[in-house]
Every structure is written in structure tokens, then in C-alpha cells.
Amino acid sequence: MVNSDYLKNLNKAQKEAVMCLDGPLLIVAGAGSGKTKVLTARIANIIKKKKAFPNQILAVTFTNKAAKEMQTRVSNMLGSAAVGLSWLGTFHSICAKLLRKHAPAANLNSNFTIIDTDDQIRLIKNICKAENIDIKQLAPRYILAIIDKWKNKGFYPNEVKINSKNIYEKNILPIYKIYQQKLIDLNSCDFGDLILHAVKILENHIDIRQIYSKNFKYILVDEYQDTNFIQSKWLNLLTEKNKNICCVGDDDQSIYSWRGAEIKNFLEFDQVYENTKVIRLEQNYRSTQNILSVASNLISNNQNRVGKTLKTTMEEGDLVSLHCFKNGKDEAVGISDEIEKHKKKYSLNNIAILVRAIFQTREFEERFLKIGMPYRILGGTKFYERAEIKDCIAYLRIIHQSKDDLAFERIVNNPKRAIGDSTIKSIHEYSNQNSFNLEDSSRKMLNENLIKPKAKIGLNSFLNMLIKWRSELNLQKISHIKLLQVVLDESGYSAALKNKKDLENENRLENIKELLSAMKEFDNLESFLEHVSLATSLDQDWDGEKVNMMTMHGSKGLEFDFVFLPGWEEGLFPHQKSIEEKGQNGLEEERRLAYVGITRAKKKAVISFSMNRFYQGDWIDSMASRFVDELPEKYIEKNSSFDEDKEDVEDFEFNQDFDIEDNERSPGWIRYQKRIK
């Protein structure tokens, strides 16, 4: 039963965006303007008006959390009518689904493994070792970054055009060729492959492209400003038949170019899709007017933007505070004092400190530990990236798919089975010489008596356990949950943790218990393993009242009552590297990052900078960020430091490690004097 209330509580622009169902639509959605509400109401409207069945709607998000939220909202709106909305998810999850249906077209089997970054690095290291490439000269992570860049541009190894400006690319291309072939041999793919393979299948197989292009009568995309070339290409191919594509985003929040995002996808949308209608959502439901005015004035200095002006029906609220501190330590003290002052009014969970660079958190952590202020760092180690969890997953992966060499290598001697590095090396060599996977190579080497006696017992035991576990799973004697329990017991992994009586291992055992709980949400091993591969950092839960600390990049999509934005200093923010590498484009992206940071605040925002900062072992003189000069005076209040007499702040900016004559002043002092005049 469709709930007809889905159009209620929509403003004029939101309702227009929901009702406009014919042709390409670009929704320019400002921060806090209710874009998720619009997207879900639009899906409801499509189904209500019988424009399409649920399985004819493709809805794409960037995170699992966003996809889950959208699914929940649509279900609440539509009830049973939401059943069959099977193409709602992230780019990667939807492409994985498409790829499993057409795996042979990419030279894969449908049960392919999706490998993570750690496995990628190990695979690259193995290739470099075999090819006598010095990883000290050419780091595996850098190799992967270049390969990922090529994949984001839509290039298989044979399609790459070497950038003459990059002296390393010609050395990386042969590695890419071997790496990609290895993935095929392993029946695996990395995250970049999920979309790349999907695009190549659609490009090269007209019949498959026609099936999906015809089926998807409506396509909806969230956070379109964060798409890269290959994602945009994929969407374009799927709109070949029906042109009803609706993309929602905010060009002023495009902050991920370092991850391959291309803002031009958003800015040139109307050039790619003819007869595009543009609707602006400018009504903000998050922040006070003063906060919005500061953010809008700041971002107006950017030239490459569609343009919009945020407004709110809320009160004007407090002015945005601008604080100047002597150094980073004083900044941490000042901010902690401010939190103490307001913690009765604002919950700690609703207070956030947003930094440009992660090293900035050190001063705050030390201060908070000293005064007993509870805090959390958002963006720490993800649950599925913890060593004990990755070990469990590796066991499950090799049981699921015997070709998964990376999983095999991780757990063949974990816990210790007397299978040393030399044995593993010899198995690798046998594998390379005979084109067998590591598991098959191990069995053949045992049969040919090529394994050392000490390692033979442990290896034989491990291989026999794999046979037993697969048999029990395939014959449906045990569930995937029970399977992991059996694996942990019979492998000796649980015993190894229990035998070491310390807090760390107790925590590891608790994490494994949590993993078993998580597995209960999935019907089978395959669906669980795919979920693990696609899991994101934002899926973590945090308990208790704590101040939140994170980077401004990590804050996107979040909101807090009270936000602190420290370290607004030249070189740090805007970051010098960004400007050096990307010039004006880099500066504009940094300004968009400032805009994102300010618009996380609902009720109160404090911007601060220090005159000196201890960085990489040295005190450096700082200048207030150029963004400080762009803040509108009308909506800003300055702390007392700006009003102090010159005599009282005579040594305010001095770098104490240097002898400075009385008539000399640091760059920080010069900027400081400019601000108080």
C-alpha cells in the first residue's frame, strides 16, 4: 500500500524535483536541503504513478550507510510496494551484482572474489619480487594508485597511454599487465575492476547493454559531484534507451578529486544530457542563518560553480566566532575550555572538531587526556580491517573459493603450523612454473614429496581441514555461521588467542564474537563475503558521550550542533600541496572543503588559527589563512585577542627558537596586525 503522504512537508522546489519525471534532471542540492527526502519521495512518486516497477528503478549511492537509509525511507513510504527495489545500492555493489550475472564476458567465474587493499599490496609485492623490481624505489601503494587512476579513466592495460610527465608510468604499465592477468587467474577483481568490467561489458556487448538500458526506466544518483569518469560513463551507457536520469549533488561540496572525482561531471551535466532541467534546493534545514551566510559568502569566491544561495527559516543564531591563538597548544586549551563552558547546553556527541590534516588531533588528544574529556577519532581502524577479522574472513574466502591465493597465503600458517617463509616461497615458485593456484600446488608438492618434513605435517593437516569444511558447507550440514565457529576451533585459532592472557587478545576474541553476530544478518556465505568486501568506514557505531574528532573530508554527510574548525593557517588550510599540484583548481577545492566544514554546524561554529605551530619537530610562524580574510565581517565575532592593546601582545607571535630583533615581526604577526586594524 503506497502512503500518499510522501508529498507532504515538501517545499516548492523539493516538490518540483519530485514531480518532474520526464527527461534528464540535475538537482543542485545545497547542504542540509533535504536531498535524501527528495530522492526517496521521487522513487515513491514513480511507483505511485506507475511510471515503472521497482525493479526498473536504478538508485545509486556512494556508501552502504546511505543506501540502507534510502531503503528504509522508501520502505516506510511505500510499505509492501517497496518490495522488488532490487537495484538500490552503491556503485560497487550494483556493478558487482551486474558482473556476477555476466562474469564470463570479463573472463571471470560468477563466484569471483573481491580483494581488498591489503591483498592488492601483497599481490603487487609478489609481482615485483618475481620481476626483480625494487619496491623501495617503486612503492606498491604508489603502483596501485597509478593502476587505480588508469581504471578510473576506463583503461585496461592494453589501452593505457603513458603520461610523459610521469617518469614512473612506463615502469608501472608492465606491472599492471601482469597484475590484471593475475586477478583473472585468481578469479578475482579489485574495487576498480567492478565498475571497469561492467563498463567494458556494456560497451562491447550491445545485447547486454540493450537489456539494462531498456529495463532501467529511471536512474537516480546521489552525490553526483563525487563521481569519477568511469562511473559517469557507466551511467551514460545505461541511459541509452531511456533518458530519465536524475542526478543530485552539490558542486560546492566536491572535495574528493584526490580520489578521482571529477567536478566537471556535475558542471557539464547539461552538455552531456540534452534538454536537462536544473532545479536548485536552496532551503537549508540544518543551520542558522548566520552560519549559512558565512559559508555562502566564502564559497562565492569560487568561479567554477553552478551557483546557489542558501537560506533558512530558522533564527539568525549566534555569530560565527573567529579565534586567534598564540600556538597550537593554546588553541587546544582554548577549544577544550569552550567545550567545558558549553557542555551542559550541547551534548558531547553533538560537538565536533574538524581538522584539515590528521596530525592536528595530537594537541587536542593530549589536552583531552589531561583534563579527562572523553573523545573519539572518527576514521580509525575499521572493524573489517582488524587483523583478527581479516584472518577469519580469509578462512571463509579460501573455503568459498579455492583459487583465492591471497587468502590462502594469509592463513596457511596462521596459527603457526611450522610452515615457514621458505616453504611458502617454494609453493609460490611451483605455482608460477606450473600455472596452478597455491592450494593445488601445495597438494601436488606433497604428493611429489617436495615439502620439508617439518612443514609437511602442518600443511597436510591444513589442506585436509579445507576439504572437510567445504564438504560440510556444500552438503549443508552446517550454516556459514557455524562454519566459522568450527574453523576457529579446529584450526586452533581460538586456542591461540585464549592461551595469551592479555587485554589485546581479549579484545580480539570479543571482535570475533561480534563478527559471528554480524554474519547472522546474511542468508549465506557468498552474500556475507560480498558485504565484507563492500563495507565502509561510516558503518561503525560509537557508544557513550564523546567529543568527535575527524578530518573535514571525513565529516561530509554528518552534522553537529557545535563545530570547531581549528588550524586555518596558510600552508595548512588551504593546504600548500593542493595549491602546488592543482593551482587554482586546488585552491577552489580547498575552499569547498571550508564550505563543507562550516555547513556541518547546526547552531554554533568556531573558526580558529594560531600564530605559531609545532610541526615536524620545529616551531613555524603561521599566517592566518586567506579564507579568514574572506569571512564576512557582518556575521563574525572575534575573540579578545583581536582587541588587546599592542603592548599586551608584544611577544604574541614570536618564535622562541630564534633571535628576533625588536623591529622584526614574523609573518604571523604581520597578518595579525592587518586583522586588528
Side-chain angles (χ1 to χ4, degrees):
M1 180 77 180
V2 177
N3 185 350
S4 59
D5 290 343
Y6 67 90
L7 291 176
K8 287 185 177 180
N9 301 317
L10 295 178
N11 63 40
K12 185 180 178 182
Q14 288 174 332
K15 192 171 289 186
E16 186 184 7
V18 169
M19 302 299 288
C20 180
L21 299 180
D22 297 321
L25 174 65
L26 181 68
I27 302 175
V28 184
S33 62
K35 63 181 178 64
T36 305
K37 181 196 286 188
V38 168
L39 280 174
T40 50
R42 189 175 164 83
I43 293 172
N45 194 43
I46 291 168
I47 296 171
K48 167 83 178 213
K49 293 191 171 178
K50 298 182 178 179
K51 291 283 189 175
F53 292 110
N55 66 355
Q56 294 176 317
I57 300 170
L58 172 65
V60 193
T61 66
F62 266 83
T63 66
N64 291 334
K65 183 181 178 182
K68 196 174 288 184
E69 183 184 353
M70 191 178 293
Q71 180 72 60
T72 301
R73 289 198 186 192
V74 172
S75 297
N76 290 338
M77 281 184 185
L78 299 181
S80 60
V83 175
L85 203 64
S86 54
W87 293 98
L88 191 161
T90 65
F91 277 99
H92 291 106
S93 65
I94 292 170
C95 283
K97 183 177 179 178
L98 190 152
L99 191 53
R100 292 204 187 276
K101 290 178 180 288
H102 307 284
N107 295 316
L108 294 167
N109 297 326
S110 61
N111 67 337
F112 62 81
T113 299
I114 305 168
I115 68 171
D116 62 13
T117 304
D118 283 356
D119 286 337
Q120 287 180 277
I121 288 171
R122 279 198 287 146
L123 185 54
I124 290 292
K125 282 181 176 177
N126 289 340
I127 293 169
C128 289
K129 194 172 183 179
E131 298 297 314
N132 293 315
I133 296 168
D134 187 358
I135 60 174
K136 292 180 180 178
Q137 299 294 321
L138 204 55
R141 286 188 181 276
Y142 180 72
I143 294 170
L144 282 173
I146 298 297
I147 290 174
D148 192 55
K149 183 187 77 171
W150 285 332
K151 289 186 176 184
N152 286 342
K153 295 290 185 184
F155 298 143
Y156 277 149
N158 63 327
E159 299 169 320
V160 171
K161 296 177 182 176
I162 300 294
N163 181 358
S164 57
K165 294 180 181 179
N166 191 318
I167 59 174
Y168 298 108
E169 286 195 2
K170 65 178 183 182
N171 297 322
I172 295 173
L173 183 55
I175 300 173
Y176 181 20
K177 290 177 180 176
I178 300 169
Y179 171 78
Q180 207 60 17
Q181 187 57 52
K182 283 278 187 185
L183 287 177
I184 298 294
D185 295 342
L186 294 167
N187 192 35
S188 299
C189 58
D190 60 23
F191 275 78
D193 283 332
L194 293 175
I195 303 178
L196 179 59
H197 287 326
V199 165
K200 295 299 183 184
I201 289 170
L202 294 174
E203 280 186 328
N204 300 328
H205 299 269
I206 298 173
D207 54 335
I208 297 175
R209 182 168 78 242
Q210 286 178 341
I211 290 170
Y212 289 98
S213 179
K214 185 179 179 181
N215 179 72
F216 294 137
K217 291 188 175 181
Y218 287 89
I219 295 175
L220 299 90
V221 188
D222 194 12
E223 304 287 2
Y224 189 66
Q225 79 281 345
D226 294 334
T227 55
N228 58 28
F229 172 83
I230 198 72
Q231 290 163 340
S232 177
K233 180 72 175 176
W234 179 69
L235 291 167
N236 193 245
L237 288 164
L238 292 174
T239 57
E240 188 177 70
K241 172 71 175 172
N242 301 301
K243 303 295 183 182
N244 300 321
I245 181 169
C246 169
C247 291
V248 184
D250 184 1
D251 53 317
D252 290 335
Q253 295 188 68
S254 179
I255 57 174
Y256 295 126
S257 68
W258 52 276
R259 240 170 31 190
E262 297 191 10
I263 192 172
K264 72 175 185 179
N265 290 342
F266 194 95
L267 299 176
E268 297 175 3
F269 183 88
D270 58 346
Q271 297 174 34
V272 175
Y273 298 97
E274 292 182 6
N275 302 315
T276 291
K277 184 177 178 64
V278 179
I279 296 175
R280 289 172 171 81
L281 304 183
E282 298 177 308
Q283 185 71 49
N284 177 281
Y285 295 94
R286 176 189 299 156
S287 308
T288 62
Q289 189 57 58
N290 282 329
I291 290 171
L292 293 182
S293 296
V294 170
S296 295
N297 273 266
L298 180 67
I299 200 63
S300 67
N301 289 279
N302 274 6
Q303 295 177 1
N304 296 308
R305 58 192 295 261
V306 175
K308 63 183 175 301
T309 303
L310 293 181
K311 51 187 181 293
T312 182
T313 56
M314 296 173 65
E315 73 279 4
E316 287 189 357
D318 295 340
L319 295 172
V320 173
S321 297
L322 178 63
H323 290 191
C324 174
F325 295 100
K326 182 177 179 179
N327 53 48
K329 187 175 182 180
D330 281 3
E331 186 176 49
V333 171
I335 287 175
S336 67
D337 289 349
E338 195 78 6
I339 293 172
E340 288 281 6
K341 190 167 72 175
H342 289 90
K343 68 180 184 181
K344 289 184 178 179
K345 185 177 181 181
Y346 301 107
S347 155
L348 293 184
N349 283 339
N350 266 310
I351 298 174
I353 299 172
L354 311 183
V355 297
R356 175 61 181 86
I358 198 65
F359 81 85
Q360 292 173 259
T361 66
R362 183 184 66 84
E363 293 278 16
F364 296 103
E365 290 187 66
E366 290 185 0
R367 175 63 182 168
F368 287 180
L369 287 168
K370 186 176 180 179
I371 65 174
M373 178 78 71
Y375 71 92
R376 63 174 68 91
I377 305 283
L378 270 66
T381 304
K382 303 175 189 176
F383 179 79
Y384 290 110
E385 289 181 355
R386 295 171 189 171
E388 63 277 12
I389 302 301
K390 288 179 74 70
D391 292 341
C392 292
I393 300 301
Y395 270 106
L396 296 173
R397 278 170 46 184
I398 192 64
I399 293 168
H400 177 61
Q401 218 252 93
S402 63
K403 288 184 177 182
D404 195 335
D405 283 0
L406 299 168
F408 181 96
E409 189 175 6
R410 183 178 183 95
I411 45 85
V412 66
N413 196 41
N414 187 8
K416 300 293 183 184
R417 300 187 178 94
I419 305 168
D421 290 341
S422 61
T423 301
I424 294 171
K425 185 181 177 183
S426 63
I427 296 171
H428 266 291
E429 289 172 350
Y430 189 97
S431 171
N432 291 332
Q433 290 167 6
N434 298 279
S435 298
F436 293 131
N437 60 59
L438 295 184
E439 184 179 336
D440 288 344
S441 296
S442 300
R443 297 187 191 281
K444 292 182 181 298
M445 289 178 74
L446 283 170
N447 292 334
E448 296 170 18
N449 205 27
L450 298 175
I451 301 294
K452 294 176 182 177
K454 192 177 179 181
K456 190 173 182 178
I457 298 170
L459 185 59
N460 196 54
S461 171
F462 173 68
L463 293 173
N464 286 337
M465 283 189 290
L466 288 180
I467 293 172
K468 175 181 175 295
W469 295 333
R470 284 182 188 133
S471 174
E472 289 178 341
L473 183 67
N474 293 335
L475 295 173
Q476 298 183 338
K477 290 182 179 179
I478 56 175
S479 67
H480 58 297
I481 302 152
K482 182 65 178 176
L483 172 67
L484 180 57
Q485 293 173 319
V486 170
V487 166
L488 291 169
D489 288 337
E490 294 182 357
S491 68
Y493 193 95
S494 292
L497 289 180
K498 289 174 182 175
N499 290 337
K500 296 178 182 177
K501 299 293 183 182
D502 60 33
L503 183 61
E504 187 177 352
N505 280 291
E506 287 175 15
N507 289 337
R508 286 175 176 172
L509 286 167
E510 288 299 317
N511 286 336
I512 290 172
K513 289 176 185 176
E514 186 62 26
L515 178 66
L516 288 164
S517 298
M519 292 175 70
K520 293 177 182 177
E521 297 180 14
F522 299 87
D523 296 329
N524 52 54
L525 182 58
E526 183 172 310
S527 62
F528 170 68
L529 289 176
E530 184 156 306
H531 165 76
V532 171
S533 299
L534 301 170
T536 66
S537 62
L538 292 179
D539 295 333
Q540 289 192 22
D541 291 322
W542 299 91
D543 298 322
E545 285 277 314
K546 296 181 178 74
V547 176
N548 303 282
M549 276 192 274
M550 71 202 79
T551 64
M552 279 185 272
H553 281 102
S555 73
K556 190 168 175 291
L558 304 177
E559 58 183 45
F560 305 92
D561 287 341
F562 199 165
V563 170
F564 293 90
L565 299 153
W568 280 42
E569 298 138 30
E570 281 296 308
L572 179 55
F573 191 49
H575 203 283
Q576 190 64 30
K577 186 180 177 184
S578 184
I579 297 174
E580 287 176 353
E581 291 182 353
K582 292 177 283 189
Q584 184 64 24
N585 289 337
L587 175 61
E588 292 205 353
E589 181 160 338
E590 291 287 296
R591 192 176 282 112
R592 291 195 292 270
L593 191 56
Y595 173 86
V596 167
I598 295 169
T599 55
R600 298 312 92 195
K602 295 164 69 175
K603 298 176 181 177
K604 195 170 180 64
V606 176
I607 297 168
S608 62
F609 62 93
S610 66
M611 311 306 295
N612 296 277
R613 190 168 295 279
F614 196 70
Y615 182 57
Q616 295 185 349
D618 290 309
W619 282 102
I620 59 170
D621 293 315
S622 305
M623 291 193 298
S625 167
R626 69 190 73 188
F627 298 157
V628 170
D629 290 334
E630 294 172 1
L631 299 175
E633 298 276 347
K634 184 180 176 182
Y635 307 108
I636 295 290
E637 63 173 358
K638 302 169 187 174
N639 72 339
S640 57
S641 298
F642 287 95
D643 304 319
E644 288 174 348
D645 294 332
K646 187 174 178 181
E647 285 181 29
D648 297 330
V649 294
E650 190 67 43
D651 66 343
F652 193 73
E653 83 310 334
F654 285 173
N655 184 329
Q656 301 298 328
D657 293 338
F658 296 91
D659 292 326
I660 302 177
E661 295 181 9
D662 290 342
N663 61 348
E664 285 188 34
R665 294 292 183 262
S666 70
W669 176 263
I670 295 168
R671 180 59 68 94
Y672 173 72
Q673 290 298 314
K674 180 182 175 183
R675 292 294 301 176
I676 64 174
K677 286 179 180 177

